[in-house]
Amino acid sequence: MDRRDFTKGLAVAGSASFLARPVPRAVTIPLPSTAPKSMAMVMYPGMFPLDLIGPHAVLGGHFPIHLVWKSRDPFNALGITFTPNMTFADCPEVDVLFVPGGTTGTIAAMEDEECLSFLESRARSAQYLTSVCTGSLVLGAAGLLKGRRATSHWAVRDSILPMLGAKPVAERVVVDGNLVTGAGVSAGIDFGLSLMATFAGEEMAKIMQLNIEYDPDPPFQAGSPEGAGAELTGRLTGYYGPFLKDVERAARAARRAT
Amino acid sequence: MDRRDFTKGLAVAGSASFLARPVPRAVTIPLPSTAPKSMAMVMYPGMFPLDLIGPHAVLGGHFPIHLVWKSRDPFNALGITFTPNMTFADCPEVDVLFVPGGTTGTIAAMEDEECLSFLESRARSAQYLTSVCTGSLVLGAAGLLKGRRATSHWAVRDSILPMLGAKPVAERVVVDGNLVTGAGVSAGIDFGLSLMATFAGEEMAKIMQLNIEYDPDPPFQAGSPEGAGAELTGRLTGYYGPFLKDVERAARAARRAT
């Protein structure tokens, strides 16, 4: 599929008139033919937007990415309105399958039969199964993590992943065969660059890194429980309390994972 | 404004029914009273989504954030449909004003009288004027950077910012009085954490950093021209070619900046 077909596909997929008048892309970075031909990023009410937008900033615009959910109705995620461009029913087989994380909305996705059966079915033909943050718990609820090494947000990694049959790994990006999982939220950028290197080579991943000026310089070193220290980690875990209780219940009830 | 008023405000602002049924937030992190009471994030067709979503991941959900453009019609940005929740005309005075970057869409924003006069007017009462990536060029076109230290994406920082009256600074986050600008794309996360520390103290910024697990570990060191080296930087600059030409023309024509 060349760029023209891709643009045509977008126009057909979108019923709203604005999609027929796309903003021209000033910057086109050609990928080698080893790049995937298609990707489905699941998106859902209450997802944490950066989980999806981080990898999308690296991977987006270079091959067709379907933004998929049960319906194409707009929904709210952290106060931002997102609109899927394809339903589960309309989504074809894809090379790469991706699920972002979140909190309450993620639990709803873990319990949604339509979502789980979509993942189960498309996973059979996908070359890569991927997630960022608590998105791995949705893959787990779909029965896709059994016996596999995976990561998730630090707050649920060691407690919830094993309940879904996975072997938790405390790394930023974990690759186990065709399963690629990223740690919490911002790890999606490291995850996206790792995937791009796999798809298109290190040089292309480096160009994408330069494109998004990813030369991180956090003002503090509090991005991990170890860096933040016990007091701050304890306070944040306290704020997570109700979510942690509910996600544990959802993991125990995930029948596909057992 | 407490959380209940905020939720009510969102429901009033949104005409679509899904906004009346917000996904419950499982995680609420209380901010001190020094935090801003309101923020307007400009969003526009062709913006680079991560420019906005990076800072939003740190700042979002804690005080009302208006997502503002000329109309509330959905638009396309890198293949993702975004929907503003407020028009320029309806946007009140806010504590924090923010503009994300992009390429072709950013040039259109630099040339849009309605956008520029909104920024000019709300800047008079805002406590902070802020941007990420080429968003600073839009602030500059609105005449808001004259004589001030600022940054932008590396590809335009030293060439275009001076044409808009700014003094370019090669740092990830640049603070000049009430003007806070971030470098390219992914710098928005560092920028957001810096702002949160200013608003709510270092401890709160650290909690937000832990919340998004921002413990970056780029697989390569190519996030700056120095790190990527001359060959890759030259190739990417070549892909930027048409944009760089057009943005220079737009900067020369920016009458408010002179």
Side-chain angles (χ1 to χ4, degrees):
Chain A
M1 180 183 275
D2 67 15
R3 182 156 304 273
R4 200 160 138 205
D5 288 339
F6 175 29
T7 308
K8 201 165 61 181
L10 281 178
V12 170
S15 61
S17 63
F18 69 92
L19 277 178
R21 296 180 277 105
V23 173
R25 279 180 67 82
V27 177
T28 301
I29 303 172
L31 292 193
S33 59
T34 52
K37 299 294 171 277
S38 60
M39 179 170 185
M41 296 183 113
V42 172
M43 51 164 44
Y44 53 83
M47 70 171 181
F48 202 85
L50 184 53
D51 290 13
L52 185 144
I53 299 295
H56 189 277
V58 178
L59 303 168
H62 305 295
F63 40 80
I65 295 186
H66 310 309
L67 302 167
V68 188
W69 184 235
K70 291 151 70 96
S71 88
R72 292 178 52 190
D73 293 341
F75 62 74
N76 176 37
L78 201 64
I80 299 177
T81 299
F82 287 89
T83 307
N85 62 19
M86 193 174 274
T87 61
F88 290 147
D90 289 339
C91 186
E93 296 190 343
V94 290
D95 290 346
V96 189
L97 198 55
F98 169 84
V99 185
T103 53
T104 308
T106 309
I107 294 174
M110 290 171 71
E111 294 174 330
D112 190 286
E113 272 304 306
E114 206 177 332
C115 173
L116 300 180
S117 91
F118 168 79
L119 291 172
E120 196 177 40
S121 110
R122 295 310 184 281
R124 285 189 208 113
S125 50
Q127 287 175 44
Y128 294 94
L129 301 180
T130 71
S131 66
V132 163
C133 196
T134 52
S136 57
L137 306 187
V138 185
L139 291 181
L144 299 171
L145 297 188
K146 284 179 255 186
R148 304 187 75 173
R149 301 167 70 248
T151 194
S152 194
H153 191 283
W154 60 265
V156 297
R157 186 188 58 226
D158 296 336
S159 54
I160 309 295
L161 278 179
M163 299 173 63
L164 298 163
K167 299 173 189 166
V169 180
E171 283 169 19
R172 195 111 174 121
V173 180
V174 175
V175 181
D176 179 350
N178 78 335
L179 176 72
V180 185
T181 53
V185 191
S186 61
I189 301 176
D190 301 318
F191 159 92
L193 290 169
S194 296
L195 271 189
M196 183 55 88
T198 304
F199 294 157
E202 284 200 7
E203 204 163 77
M204 198 49 71
K206 287 178 179 173
I207 287 179
M208 299 306 174
Q209 185 178 359
L210 182 59
N211 184 45
I212 62 165
E213 204 166 340
Y214 186 47
D215 185 24
D217 185 19
F220 312 105
Q221 301 307 319
S224 66
E226 297 70 32
E231 201 274 316
L232 292 185
T233 303
R235 266 168 67 190
L236 183 54
T237 305
Y239 298 137
Y240 288 158
F243 163 69
L244 294 176
K245 202 170 141 185
D246 289 347
V247 80
E248 186 178 327
R249 181 191 44 70
R252 277 193 207 291
R255 62 172 180 78
R256 280 181 175 80
T258 54
Chain B
M1 180 182 277
D2 67 17
R3 181 157 303 272
R4 201 161 136 203
D5 288 341
F6 174 29
T7 308
K8 199 165 63 182
L10 281 178
V12 170
S15 61
S17 63
F18 70 93
L19 277 178
R21 296 180 278 106
V23 172
R25 278 179 67 80
V27 178
T28 301
I29 303 172
L31 291 193
S33 60
T34 52
K37 299 294 171 280
S38 60
M39 180 169 186
M41 297 184 114
V42 172
M43 52 164 43
Y44 53 83
M47 70 172 181
F48 202 86
L50 184 54
D51 291 13
L52 184 144
I53 299 295
H56 189 277
V58 179
L59 303 168
H62 306 295
F63 40 81
I65 295 186
H66 309 309
L67 301 168
V68 188
W69 183 235
K70 294 151 68 95
S71 89
R72 292 179 52 191
D73 294 340
F75 62 74
N76 176 34
L78 200 62
I80 300 178
T81 299
F82 286 90
T83 307
N85 61 21
M86 193 174 274
T87 62
F88 290 145
D90 289 339
C91 186
E93 296 189 344
V94 289
D95 291 346
V96 190
L97 199 54
F98 169 84
V99 186
T103 53
T104 309
T106 309
I107 294 173
M110 290 172 71
E111 294 173 330
D112 190 287
E113 274 303 306
E114 205 179 331
C115 173
L116 300 180
S117 91
F118 168 79
L119 291 172
E120 195 176 42
S121 111
R122 295 311 184 281
R124 287 189 205 110
S125 51
Q127 288 175 43
Y128 294 94
L129 302 180
T130 71
S131 66
V132 163
C133 196
T134 53
S136 58
L137 306 186
V138 185
L139 291 180
L144 299 171
L145 297 188
K146 285 180 255 188
R148 305 188 75 173
R149 301 168 70 248
T151 195
S152 195
H153 191 281
W154 61 265
V156 298
R157 186 187 58 224
D158 296 337
S159 54
I160 309 295
L161 279 178
M163 298 174 64
L164 298 164
K167 299 173 188 165
V169 181
E171 284 168 19
R172 195 109 175 124
V173 181
V174 175
V175 181
D176 180 350
N178 77 336
L179 177 72
V180 185
T181 52
V185 192
S186 62
I189 300 176
D190 301 319
F191 158 93
L193 290 169
S194 297
L195 271 189
M196 183 54 88
T198 304
F199 296 158
E202 284 200 6
E203 204 164 77
M204 198 48 72
K206 288 178 179 174
I207 287 179
M208 299 305 175
Q209 185 177 358
L210 182 58
N211 185 44
I212 61 165
E213 202 165 343
Y214 186 46
D215 184 22
D217 185 19
F220 312 104
Q221 301 307 319
S224 67
E226 299 70 30
E231 201 273 317
L232 291 186
T233 302
R235 265 168 68 189
L236 183 54
T237 306
Y239 299 137
Y240 289 158
F243 163 70
L244 294 175
K245 202 170 141 184
D246 290 347
V247 78
E248 186 178 325
R249 181 191 45 68
R252 278 194 205 290
R255 59 173 182 79
R256 281 182 173 79
T258 55

